[in-house]
Amino acid sequence: MTLRWFRYALGATGALAVVGLGITVYLWVSYGRLIDRKLSGEQRPVPRMFGRPFEVTTGQGLSPAQLVQRLNDVGYAERAKAAAPGEFTLNPASVTVVTRPAGPEPSHVFKVDFVKGTSVQRLTSGGKPAPKLTLEAPLIAALAPGERRRYVPIGSMPKQVIDAVLAIEDRRFYEHPGIDPIGIVRAIWTNMFGDKPYLVGGSTLTQQIVKNTFLSPEKSPIRKLREQFMAIVLETRFTKQQILELYLNDVVLGQRGPFEIHGVSEAARIFFGKDVRNVTLAEAATMAGIIQSPSRLSPFRNAERARERRNVVLNEMANAGMVKKDEAEAAEASPLVVSTRALENEAPYFVDYASQLIEEGDSGLLKPDAAVDIYTTLDLHLQRMAQEAIGEGVTQVDKQLAAKKRKGTAQAALVAIDPRTGEILAMVGGRSYSQSQYNRAVMAKRQPGSVFKPFVYLTAFQSRAETGQPDLTPASVVVDEPTTFKDGDNDYSPTNYQGEYDGPVTLRRALALSRNIVAIKVAEQVGYGRVADLWKKIGLGTPAKAYPSIALGVFEASPVDMAGAYTIFPNNGTFRPLRALTSIVENGKVKAIAAPASKSIARPDATYLVVNMMRSVINEGTGAAARGQGFTLDAAGKTGTTNDLRDAWFIGFTPELLTVVWVGFDNNQPIGLSGGQAALPIWTSFMKRALAGRPSKSFSVPDGVAFADIDKVTGQLATSNCPVVIHEAFLAGTEPTQHCELHPEGGVKGFFQNLFGR
């Protein structure tokens, strides 16, 4: 009887062993296939978005720190003596760069010498002057939904980053098979009886990969067993170096706005504004320390906790012999410094905008299993400057609002383009992407107000050139006074800003001072319908209706719309549609994205008259504060202030750079500030940075334009007695013939001038 039961028990045990072995083999094979499918490259590649290559030239306004930022953008490693491609050396007054080979172009060594740390004095290669240094296109973002990440191979990871992670997360990583029984026992003992002021974990890096990639967050014995089993399977599928590379590129290190930060490379950029190759020992320890609890230890929200955890990591590195004790102590004593605007500096509003264009235009470009690289028009150097200008500008706006005791958080948007091509160079859609992802540069439809007035004058001059009517030139005098206009059966009685009127004033002066009454009178003479037709021809924003208020921009358009519309001015009447994408590389095959077709909107000669008038806005009008703030280049522009001081605008341009700035409240309540007060300082700050070191360029004068010296006040031909003379532009044949009656010439010359009108 006993023997029989023994045989039964032995048989049952054998059967269970066979079943257990079968289950183990099944799970081993199933988990192995799952791991291979997920981690061996079969998953969908993440599309990547790049900006335009950065160029360095002699005379360019550029500091050593800014060049180092650009080198960090494209993954150059700082070395004591740059020798290999992709390395650079920072000296007190110069930077040496060893470029990477680019196609048939071999690597070169460039030396960039700076003068006073503000501009490039010399650019040499091999001891000889070089025309320019061109860096690679910088990676702006990997387009994984809800994530920010950038892949870096393990061979490019700095040793101190790897050591910091292993010291605090898995010191026996190279010794265990995926699970670490010794580590588990030690963790339990330390947590129960040890004297360390923090809890020690028992999970290996391999287990963490399994937990974060394959399993749910539930905590149960079954889930833990699955995690340990899959970790052992994973270790048989990949080498230790491959597992470490997976971990360092995927580990979650926090949240910035709507995005999870994945991997130490992206964390280095978000936290410190650096390429991961250039982080310090203290910064490496900070990132490793955050892994334990990314939210609780965030250096942005809990700097003191992050610093304490960093020092724990440094102490563990010293105990493990990874760094010397004095090196760890020096790093512990260093302050924790983070880059507070790093996410904004990665152009998130532009990335959203460009991604939307792709989805709307050809979503098939992002089909599964295609390795896609998207190349854009964004200039990351100018983007950083735009973000800085917005950050400083909204701070000043906040102070002005506080002084006026106005409640609410002001928002701002900036769009900078190359007017010659329509390429978007920089885009900021709000004061903080982390707080609001609403892109005001594209989506905020607001009344353009006075920034529309140049289109009124353009309509008048265009009509004069084509039909001879109305008889208006930039020197024509119109009376600026309170006026009631007929709006159908109703009366329309607008006022000037702050109730100021100038009496008889030239059109140039009226535009420079943004006089509403004069603009409406010009629109009335040319016909409100003609003004509406011109805007319809451009085809942006909402339709403008043929009422007197059209002259004051009473319709809606976004900053991007206005940037596109304004391209007609520096292009002598030709409209350049904006573009953000230049090419897409799919599985190595380049697909160029053609620029949208330009179209003629107005005559070159009529357009130039308006541009020349708009120069007075900046030189002596409502935008003159730009000169007082140090902007010296030849430029044209227009302030914009809408009804009830609801929106503040400034749009200004040189022949090579056009920038739109809008400031207002999201709820469309009046901000109580004019365009000159709120938007102009941001525009000036950005343009000074963006064009630093560049020579002033004049606007080209088309055929059909003639010039005459006129009196500033009367608009008549100047005499030697006129105190202020304007070298005014006219459509050829429309120059004034009457000499200035306010400041007439004396003697015989004056007699004959008055007699014959010349």
PDB file of all heavy atoms in Angstrom, residues 48-52 73 137-143 148-150 266 269 343 345-348 350-351 374-380 383:
ATOM      1  N   ARG A  48      11.893  61.614 -36.886  1.00  0.00           N
ATOM      2  CA  ARG A  48      12.721  62.659 -36.287  1.00  0.00           C
ATOM      3  C   ARG A  48      12.577  63.948 -37.093  1.00  0.00           C
ATOM      4  O   ARG A  48      12.436  63.915 -38.309  1.00  0.00           O
ATOM      5  CB  ARG A  48      14.187  62.233 -36.243  1.00  0.00           C
ATOM      6  CG  ARG A  48      14.443  60.969 -35.433  1.00  0.00           C
ATOM      7  CD  ARG A  48      15.921  60.621 -35.382  1.00  0.00           C
ATOM      8  NE  ARG A  48      16.477  60.400 -36.709  1.00  0.00           N
ATOM      9  CZ  ARG A  48      17.775  60.181 -36.954  1.00  0.00           C
ATOM     10  NH1 ARG A  48      18.633  60.163 -35.946  1.00  0.00           N
ATOM     11  NH2 ARG A  48      18.202  59.972 -38.189  1.00  0.00           N
ATOM     12  N   MET A  49      12.648  65.067 -36.384  1.00  0.00           N
ATOM     13  CA  MET A  49      12.534  66.377 -37.031  1.00  0.00           C
ATOM     14  C   MET A  49      13.806  67.178 -36.795  1.00  0.00           C
ATOM     15  O   MET A  49      14.300  67.267 -35.669  1.00  0.00           O
ATOM     16  CB  MET A  49      11.317  67.133 -36.494  1.00  0.00           C
ATOM     17  CG  MET A  49      11.029  68.440 -37.237  1.00  0.00           C
ATOM     18  SD  MET A  49       9.482  69.223 -36.689  1.00  0.00           S
ATOM     19  CE  MET A  49       8.263  68.067 -37.319  1.00  0.00           C
ATOM     20  N   PHE A  50      14.327  67.782 -37.873  1.00  0.00           N
ATOM     21  CA  PHE A  50      15.578  68.526 -37.818  1.00  0.00           C
ATOM     22  C   PHE A  50      15.361  69.984 -38.227  1.00  0.00           C
ATOM     23  O   PHE A  50      14.465  70.299 -39.015  1.00  0.00           O
ATOM     24  CB  PHE A  50      16.618  67.911 -38.763  1.00  0.00           C
ATOM     25  CG  PHE A  50      17.069  66.531 -38.371  1.00  0.00           C
ATOM     26  CD1 PHE A  50      16.331  65.405 -38.741  1.00  0.00           C
ATOM     27  CD2 PHE A  50      18.226  66.344 -37.635  1.00  0.00           C
ATOM     28  CE1 PHE A  50      16.732  64.130 -38.383  1.00  0.00           C
ATOM     29  CE2 PHE A  50      18.642  65.079 -37.271  1.00  0.00           C
ATOM     30  CZ  PHE A  50      17.897  63.972 -37.644  1.00  0.00           C
ATOM     31  N   GLY A  51      16.206  70.853 -37.708  1.00  0.00           N
ATOM     32  CA  GLY A  51      16.232  72.240 -38.133  1.00  0.00           C
ATOM     33  C   GLY A  51      17.218  72.440 -39.268  1.00  0.00           C
ATOM     34  O   GLY A  51      17.797  71.479 -39.786  1.00  0.00           O
ATOM     35  N   ARG A  52      17.437  73.692 -39.643  1.00  0.00           N
ATOM     36  CA  ARG A  52      18.386  73.982 -40.712  1.00  0.00           C
ATOM     37  C   ARG A  52      19.811  73.988 -40.166  1.00  0.00           C
ATOM     38  O   ARG A  52      20.034  74.288 -38.992  1.00  0.00           O
ATOM     39  CB  ARG A  52      18.073  75.317 -41.388  1.00  0.00           C
ATOM     40  CG  ARG A  52      18.246  76.535 -40.511  1.00  0.00           C
ATOM     41  CD  ARG A  52      18.135  77.809 -41.327  1.00  0.00           C
ATOM     42  NE  ARG A  52      16.889  77.867 -42.052  1.00  0.00           N
ATOM     43  CZ  ARG A  52      16.699  78.558 -43.165  1.00  0.00           C
ATOM     44  NH1 ARG A  52      17.676  79.283 -43.662  1.00  0.00           N
ATOM     45  NH2 ARG A  52      15.536  78.555 -43.772  1.00  0.00           N
ATOM     46  N   ASP A  73      24.012  71.270 -29.629  1.00  0.00           N
ATOM     47  CA  ASP A  73      22.798  70.905 -30.368  1.00  0.00           C
ATOM     48  C   ASP A  73      23.031  69.734 -31.318  1.00  0.00           C
ATOM     49  O   ASP A  73      22.118  68.936 -31.567  1.00  0.00           O
ATOM     50  CB  ASP A  73      22.272  72.099 -31.171  1.00  0.00           C
ATOM     51  CG  ASP A  73      21.699  73.197 -30.298  1.00  0.00           C
ATOM     52  OD1 ASP A  73      21.309  72.899 -29.161  1.00  0.00           O
ATOM     53  OD2 ASP A  73      21.655  74.354 -30.761  1.00  0.00           O
ATOM     54  N   ALA A 137      22.601  69.626 -39.474  1.00  0.00           N
ATOM     55  CA  ALA A 137      21.238  70.004 -39.090  1.00  0.00           C
ATOM     56  C   ALA A 137      20.950  69.461 -37.692  1.00  0.00           C
ATOM     57  O   ALA A 137      21.138  68.267 -37.438  1.00  0.00           O
ATOM     58  CB  ALA A 137      20.230  69.446 -40.092  1.00  0.00           C
ATOM     59  N   PRO A 138      20.504  70.301 -36.767  1.00  0.00           N
ATOM     60  CA  PRO A 138      20.263  69.832 -35.398  1.00  0.00           C
ATOM     61  C   PRO A 138      18.944  69.071 -35.281  1.00  0.00           C
ATOM     62  O   PRO A 138      17.953  69.416 -35.914  1.00  0.00           O
ATOM     63  CB  PRO A 138      20.205  71.133 -34.591  1.00  0.00           C
ATOM     64  CG  PRO A 138      19.700  72.151 -35.576  1.00  0.00           C
ATOM     65  CD  PRO A 138      20.265  71.746 -36.917  1.00  0.00           C
ATOM     66  N   LEU A 139      18.946  68.035 -34.468  1.00  0.00           N
ATOM     67  CA  LEU A 139      17.718  67.310 -34.165  1.00  0.00           C
ATOM     68  C   LEU A 139      16.877  68.157 -33.222  1.00  0.00           C
ATOM     69  O   LEU A 139      17.328  68.553 -32.150  1.00  0.00           O
ATOM     70  CB  LEU A 139      18.041  65.966 -33.512  1.00  0.00           C
ATOM     71  CG  LEU A 139      16.856  65.134 -33.031  1.00  0.00           C
ATOM     72  CD1 LEU A 139      15.986  64.701 -34.209  1.00  0.00           C
ATOM     73  CD2 LEU A 139      17.344  63.909 -32.249  1.00  0.00           C
ATOM     74  N   ILE A 140      15.644  68.452 -33.637  1.00  0.00           N
ATOM     75  CA  ILE A 140      14.736  69.240 -32.802  1.00  0.00           C
ATOM     76  C   ILE A 140      13.920  68.334 -31.898  1.00  0.00           C
ATOM     77  O   ILE A 140      13.768  68.586 -30.707  1.00  0.00           O
ATOM     78  CB  ILE A 140      13.788  70.088 -33.674  1.00  0.00           C
ATOM     79  CG1 ILE A 140      14.578  71.007 -34.603  1.00  0.00           C
ATOM     80  CG2 ILE A 140      12.857  70.904 -32.799  1.00  0.00           C
ATOM     81  CD1 ILE A 140      13.698  71.715 -35.613  1.00  0.00           C
ATOM     82  N   ALA A 141      13.380  67.270 -32.476  1.00  0.00           N
ATOM     83  CA  ALA A 141      12.520  66.389 -31.676  1.00  0.00           C
ATOM     84  C   ALA A 141      12.336  65.058 -32.379  1.00  0.00           C
ATOM     85  O   ALA A 141      12.405  64.967 -33.605  1.00  0.00           O
ATOM     86  CB  ALA A 141      11.155  67.032 -31.445  1.00  0.00           C
ATOM     87  N   ALA A 142      12.128  64.016 -31.562  1.00  0.00           N
ATOM     88  CA  ALA A 142      11.640  62.728 -32.062  1.00  0.00           C
ATOM     89  C   ALA A 142      10.140  62.708 -31.815  1.00  0.00           C
ATOM     90  O   ALA A 142       9.685  63.009 -30.715  1.00  0.00           O
ATOM     91  CB  ALA A 142      12.327  61.582 -31.330  1.00  0.00           C
ATOM     92  N   LEU A 143       9.376  62.389 -32.840  1.00  0.00           N
ATOM     93  CA  LEU A 143       7.934  62.604 -32.797  1.00  0.00           C
ATOM     94  C   LEU A 143       7.159  61.426 -32.222  1.00  0.00           C
ATOM     95  O   LEU A 143       6.166  60.972 -32.784  1.00  0.00           O
ATOM     96  CB  LEU A 143       7.422  62.935 -34.204  1.00  0.00           C
ATOM     97  CG  LEU A 143       8.073  64.158 -34.850  1.00  0.00           C
ATOM     98  CD1 LEU A 143       7.493  64.383 -36.239  1.00  0.00           C
ATOM     99  CD2 LEU A 143       7.895  65.390 -33.989  1.00  0.00           C
ATOM    100  N   ARG A 148       9.553  62.917 -25.226  1.00  0.00           N
ATOM    101  CA  ARG A 148      10.727  63.586 -25.759  1.00  0.00           C
ATOM    102  C   ARG A 148      11.893  62.632 -25.543  1.00  0.00           C
ATOM    103  O   ARG A 148      12.165  62.207 -24.422  1.00  0.00           O
ATOM    104  CB  ARG A 148      10.988  64.916 -25.039  1.00  0.00           C
ATOM    105  CG  ARG A 148      10.091  66.034 -25.525  1.00  0.00           C
ATOM    106  CD  ARG A 148      10.548  66.520 -26.904  1.00  0.00           C
ATOM    107  NE  ARG A 148       9.805  67.676 -27.361  1.00  0.00           N
ATOM    108  CZ  ARG A 148       8.767  67.632 -28.174  1.00  0.00           C
ATOM    109  NH1 ARG A 148       8.331  66.469 -28.590  1.00  0.00           N
ATOM    110  NH2 ARG A 148       8.169  68.723 -28.574  1.00  0.00           N
ATOM    111  N   ARG A 149      12.567  62.244 -26.624  1.00  0.00           N
ATOM    112  CA  ARG A 149      13.693  61.334 -26.503  1.00  0.00           C
ATOM    113  C   ARG A 149      14.641  61.549 -27.673  1.00  0.00           C
ATOM    114  O   ARG A 149      14.257  62.050 -28.715  1.00  0.00           O
ATOM    115  CB  ARG A 149      13.236  59.872 -26.445  1.00  0.00           C
ATOM    116  CG  ARG A 149      12.598  59.380 -27.725  1.00  0.00           C
ATOM    117  CD  ARG A 149      12.436  57.875 -27.707  1.00  0.00           C
ATOM    118  NE  ARG A 149      11.329  57.443 -26.852  1.00  0.00           N
ATOM    119  CZ  ARG A 149      11.406  56.420 -26.017  1.00  0.00           C
ATOM    120  NH1 ARG A 149      12.529  55.760 -25.888  1.00  0.00           N
ATOM    121  NH2 ARG A 149      10.358  56.063 -25.293  1.00  0.00           N
ATOM    122  N   ARG A 150      15.888  61.177 -27.506  1.00  0.00           N
ATOM    123  CA  ARG A 150      16.864  61.157 -28.598  1.00  0.00           C
ATOM    124  C   ARG A 150      17.846  60.023 -28.308  1.00  0.00           C
ATOM    125  O   ARG A 150      18.405  59.927 -27.220  1.00  0.00           O
ATOM    126  CB  ARG A 150      17.559  62.504 -28.794  1.00  0.00           C
ATOM    127  CG  ARG A 150      18.321  63.042 -27.629  1.00  0.00           C
ATOM    128  CD  ARG A 150      18.817  64.438 -27.925  1.00  0.00           C
ATOM    129  NE  ARG A 150      17.724  65.378 -28.004  1.00  0.00           N
ATOM    130  CZ  ARG A 150      17.658  66.363 -28.902  1.00  0.00           C
ATOM    131  NH1 ARG A 150      18.626  66.523 -29.768  1.00  0.00           N
ATOM    132  NH2 ARG A 150      16.628  67.187 -28.916  1.00  0.00           N
ATOM    133  N   GLU A 266      18.165  62.970 -23.646  1.00  0.00           N
ATOM    134  CA  GLU A 266      17.133  64.011 -23.657  1.00  0.00           C
ATOM    135  C   GLU A 266      17.112  64.747 -22.320  1.00  0.00           C
ATOM    136  O   GLU A 266      16.927  65.967 -22.272  1.00  0.00           O
ATOM    137  CB  GLU A 266      15.768  63.393 -23.940  1.00  0.00           C
ATOM    138  CG  GLU A 266      14.641  64.402 -24.097  1.00  0.00           C
ATOM    139  CD  GLU A 266      14.798  65.284 -25.321  1.00  0.00           C
ATOM    140  OE1 GLU A 266      15.547  64.911 -26.254  1.00  0.00           O
ATOM    141  OE2 GLU A 266      14.170  66.358 -25.358  1.00  0.00           O
ATOM    142  N   ARG A 269      19.631  67.522 -22.114  1.00  0.00           N
ATOM    143  CA  ARG A 269      19.228  68.742 -22.832  1.00  0.00           C
ATOM    144  C   ARG A 269      18.149  69.492 -22.071  1.00  0.00           C
ATOM    145  O   ARG A 269      18.184  70.719 -21.980  1.00  0.00           O
ATOM    146  CB  ARG A 269      18.737  68.380 -24.228  1.00  0.00           C
ATOM    147  CG  ARG A 269      19.847  67.872 -25.126  1.00  0.00           C
ATOM    148  CD  ARG A 269      19.339  67.564 -26.524  1.00  0.00           C
ATOM    149  NE  ARG A 269      20.424  67.054 -27.342  1.00  0.00           N
ATOM    150  CZ  ARG A 269      21.268  67.826 -28.037  1.00  0.00           C
ATOM    151  NH1 ARG A 269      21.125  69.130 -28.001  1.00  0.00           N
ATOM    152  NH2 ARG A 269      22.230  67.298 -28.754  1.00  0.00           N
ATOM    153  N   LEU A 343      12.977  73.220 -22.533  1.00  0.00           N
ATOM    154  CA  LEU A 343      11.909  72.656 -23.366  1.00  0.00           C
ATOM    155  C   LEU A 343      11.438  73.678 -24.389  1.00  0.00           C
ATOM    156  O   LEU A 343      11.278  73.380 -25.571  1.00  0.00           O
ATOM    157  CB  LEU A 343      10.737  72.204 -22.500  1.00  0.00           C
ATOM    158  CG  LEU A 343       9.510  71.688 -23.271  1.00  0.00           C
ATOM    159  CD1 LEU A 343       9.882  70.478 -24.114  1.00  0.00           C
ATOM    160  CD2 LEU A 343       8.385  71.321 -22.322  1.00  0.00           C
ATOM    161  N   ASN A 345      13.129  76.078 -25.615  1.00  0.00           N
ATOM    162  CA  ASN A 345      14.188  76.310 -26.584  1.00  0.00           C
ATOM    163  C   ASN A 345      14.271  75.222 -27.648  1.00  0.00           C
ATOM    164  O   ASN A 345      14.978  75.374 -28.639  1.00  0.00           O
ATOM    165  CB  ASN A 345      15.538  76.431 -25.870  1.00  0.00           C
ATOM    166  CG  ASN A 345      15.667  77.728 -25.097  1.00  0.00           C
ATOM    167  OD1 ASN A 345      14.919  78.667 -25.328  1.00  0.00           O
ATOM    168  ND2 ASN A 345      16.601  77.782 -24.171  1.00  0.00           N
ATOM    169  N   GLU A 346      13.581  74.114 -27.440  1.00  0.00           N
ATOM    170  CA  GLU A 346      13.536  73.066 -28.453  1.00  0.00           C
ATOM    171  C   GLU A 346      12.405  73.295 -29.455  1.00  0.00           C
ATOM    172  O   GLU A 346      12.028  72.395 -30.196  1.00  0.00           O
ATOM    173  CB  GLU A 346      13.366  71.701 -27.776  1.00  0.00           C
ATOM    174  CG  GLU A 346      14.545  71.294 -26.908  1.00  0.00           C
ATOM    175  CD  GLU A 346      15.835  71.117 -27.695  1.00  0.00           C
ATOM    176  OE1 GLU A 346      15.782  70.598 -28.819  1.00  0.00           O
ATOM    177  OE2 GLU A 346      16.893  71.521 -27.186  1.00  0.00           O
ATOM    178  N   ALA A 347      11.826  74.484 -29.459  1.00  0.00           N
ATOM    179  CA  ALA A 347      10.822  74.892 -30.451  1.00  0.00           C
ATOM    180  C   ALA A 347       9.581  74.011 -30.453  1.00  0.00           C
ATOM    181  O   ALA A 347       9.133  73.550 -31.507  1.00  0.00           O
ATOM    182  CB  ALA A 347      11.437  74.933 -31.851  1.00  0.00           C
ATOM    183  N   PRO A 348       8.971  73.750 -29.292  1.00  0.00           N
ATOM    184  CA  PRO A 348       7.822  72.827 -29.276  1.00  0.00           C
ATOM    185  C   PRO A 348       6.625  73.334 -30.070  1.00  0.00           C
ATOM    186  O   PRO A 348       5.897  72.540 -30.673  1.00  0.00           O
ATOM    187  CB  PRO A 348       7.489  72.701 -27.793  1.00  0.00           C
ATOM    188  CG  PRO A 348       8.011  73.961 -27.171  1.00  0.00           C
ATOM    189  CD  PRO A 348       9.251  74.282 -27.948  1.00  0.00           C
ATOM    190  N   PHE A 350       6.704  75.149 -32.781  1.00  0.00           N
ATOM    191  CA  PHE A 350       7.014  74.916 -34.192  1.00  0.00           C
ATOM    192  C   PHE A 350       6.890  73.434 -34.531  1.00  0.00           C
ATOM    193  O   PHE A 350       6.389  73.072 -35.606  1.00  0.00           O
ATOM    194  CB  PHE A 350       8.421  75.413 -34.516  1.00  0.00           C
ATOM    195  CG  PHE A 350       8.857  75.138 -35.931  1.00  0.00           C
ATOM    196  CD1 PHE A 350       8.513  76.010 -36.949  1.00  0.00           C
ATOM    197  CD2 PHE A 350       9.582  74.000 -36.250  1.00  0.00           C
ATOM    198  CE1 PHE A 350       8.896  75.756 -38.265  1.00  0.00           C
ATOM    199  CE2 PHE A 350       9.967  73.729 -37.550  1.00  0.00           C
ATOM    200  CZ  PHE A 350       9.626  74.614 -38.559  1.00  0.00           C
ATOM    201  N   VAL A 351       7.365  72.573 -33.642  1.00  0.00           N
ATOM    202  CA  VAL A 351       7.268  71.127 -33.879  1.00  0.00           C
ATOM    203  C   VAL A 351       5.809  70.716 -34.038  1.00  0.00           C
ATOM    204  O   VAL A 351       5.462  69.951 -34.944  1.00  0.00           O
ATOM    205  CB  VAL A 351       7.940  70.351 -32.735  1.00  0.00           C
ATOM    206  CG1 VAL A 351       7.642  68.853 -32.855  1.00  0.00           C
ATOM    207  CG2 VAL A 351       9.454  70.580 -32.749  1.00  0.00           C
ATOM    208  N   ILE A 374      12.544  64.332 -40.992  1.00  0.00           N
ATOM    209  CA  ILE A 374      11.878  65.513 -41.547  1.00  0.00           C
ATOM    210  C   ILE A 374      12.799  66.712 -41.382  1.00  0.00           C
ATOM    211  O   ILE A 374      13.243  67.018 -40.269  1.00  0.00           O
ATOM    212  CB  ILE A 374      10.552  65.766 -40.813  1.00  0.00           C
ATOM    213  CG1 ILE A 374       9.649  64.527 -40.899  1.00  0.00           C
ATOM    214  CG2 ILE A 374       9.846  66.997 -41.361  1.00  0.00           C
ATOM    215  CD1 ILE A 374       8.610  64.462 -39.820  1.00  0.00           C
ATOM    216  N   TYR A 375      13.083  67.398 -42.463  1.00  0.00           N
ATOM    217  CA  TYR A 375      13.965  68.573 -42.417  1.00  0.00           C
ATOM    218  C   TYR A 375      13.121  69.837 -42.591  1.00  0.00           C
ATOM    219  O   TYR A 375      12.277  69.919 -43.486  1.00  0.00           O
ATOM    220  CB  TYR A 375      15.055  68.469 -43.488  1.00  0.00           C
ATOM    221  CG  TYR A 375      16.056  67.395 -43.145  1.00  0.00           C
ATOM    222  CD1 TYR A 375      15.842  66.066 -43.522  1.00  0.00           C
ATOM    223  CD2 TYR A 375      17.189  67.691 -42.392  1.00  0.00           C
ATOM    224  CE1 TYR A 375      16.738  65.070 -43.176  1.00  0.00           C
ATOM    225  CE2 TYR A 375      18.100  66.700 -42.044  1.00  0.00           C
ATOM    226  CZ  TYR A 375      17.868  65.399 -42.434  1.00  0.00           C
ATOM    227  OH  TYR A 375      18.757  64.417 -42.069  1.00  0.00           O
ATOM    228  N   THR A 376      13.350  70.775 -41.716  1.00  0.00           N
ATOM    229  CA  THR A 376      12.513  71.970 -41.644  1.00  0.00           C
ATOM    230  C   THR A 376      13.331  73.228 -41.881  1.00  0.00           C
ATOM    231  O   THR A 376      14.564  73.202 -42.005  1.00  0.00           O
ATOM    232  CB  THR A 376      11.838  72.080 -40.259  1.00  0.00           C
ATOM    233  OG1 THR A 376      12.825  72.449 -39.279  1.00  0.00           O
ATOM    234  CG2 THR A 376      11.193  70.768 -39.867  1.00  0.00           C
ATOM    235  N   THR A 377      12.627  74.350 -41.908  1.00  0.00           N
ATOM    236  CA  THR A 377      13.255  75.655 -42.129  1.00  0.00           C
ATOM    237  C   THR A 377      13.728  76.299 -40.837  1.00  0.00           C
ATOM    238  O   THR A 377      14.357  77.350 -40.864  1.00  0.00           O
ATOM    239  CB  THR A 377      12.242  76.610 -42.781  1.00  0.00           C
ATOM    240  OG1 THR A 377      11.121  76.773 -41.889  1.00  0.00           O
ATOM    241  CG2 THR A 377      11.750  76.059 -44.108  1.00  0.00           C
ATOM    242  N   LEU A 378      13.435  75.697 -39.692  1.00  0.00           N
ATOM    243  CA  LEU A 378      13.704  76.337 -38.406  1.00  0.00           C
ATOM    244  C   LEU A 378      15.194  76.577 -38.195  1.00  0.00           C
ATOM    245  O   LEU A 378      16.015  75.682 -38.376  1.00  0.00           O
ATOM    246  CB  LEU A 378      13.174  75.475 -37.261  1.00  0.00           C
ATOM    247  CG  LEU A 378      13.277  76.155 -35.895  1.00  0.00           C
ATOM    248  CD1 LEU A 378      12.064  77.045 -35.665  1.00  0.00           C
ATOM    249  CD2 LEU A 378      13.397  75.121 -34.773  1.00  0.00           C
ATOM    250  N   ASP A 379      15.526  77.794 -37.781  1.00  0.00           N
ATOM    251  CA  ASP A 379      16.882  78.155 -37.385  1.00  0.00           C
ATOM    252  C   ASP A 379      16.924  78.101 -35.863  1.00  0.00           C
ATOM    253  O   ASP A 379      16.420  78.997 -35.184  1.00  0.00           O
ATOM    254  CB  ASP A 379      17.226  79.559 -37.896  1.00  0.00           C
ATOM    255  CG  ASP A 379      18.684  79.930 -37.662  1.00  0.00           C
ATOM    256  OD1 ASP A 379      19.203  79.623 -36.567  1.00  0.00           O
ATOM    257  OD2 ASP A 379      19.295  80.554 -38.549  1.00  0.00           O
ATOM    258  N   LEU A 380      17.514  77.045 -35.306  1.00  0.00           N
ATOM    259  CA  LEU A 380      17.487  76.840 -33.860  1.00  0.00           C
ATOM    260  C   LEU A 380      18.202  77.969 -33.123  1.00  0.00           C
ATOM    261  O   LEU A 380      17.870  78.294 -31.983  1.00  0.00           O
ATOM    262  CB  LEU A 380      18.110  75.489 -33.517  1.00  0.00           C
ATOM    263  CG  LEU A 380      17.791  74.913 -32.140  1.00  0.00           C
ATOM    264  CD1 LEU A 380      16.296  74.884 -31.878  1.00  0.00           C
ATOM    265  CD2 LEU A 380      18.383  73.513 -32.007  1.00  0.00           C
ATOM    266  N   GLN A 383      15.705  80.642 -32.992  1.00  0.00           N
ATOM    267  CA  GLN A 383      14.635  80.198 -32.104  1.00  0.00           C
ATOM    268  C   GLN A 383      14.988  80.484 -30.643  1.00  0.00           C
ATOM    269  O   GLN A 383      14.148  80.941 -29.868  1.00  0.00           O
ATOM    270  CB  GLN A 383      14.392  78.701 -32.301  1.00  0.00           C
ATOM    271  CG  GLN A 383      13.347  78.109 -31.369  1.00  0.00           C
ATOM    272  CD  GLN A 383      11.941  78.624 -31.633  1.00  0.00           C
ATOM    273  OE1 GLN A 383      11.628  79.001 -32.752  1.00  0.00           O
ATOM    274  NE2 GLN A 383      11.100  78.632 -30.617  1.00  0.00           N
TER     275      GLN A 383
END
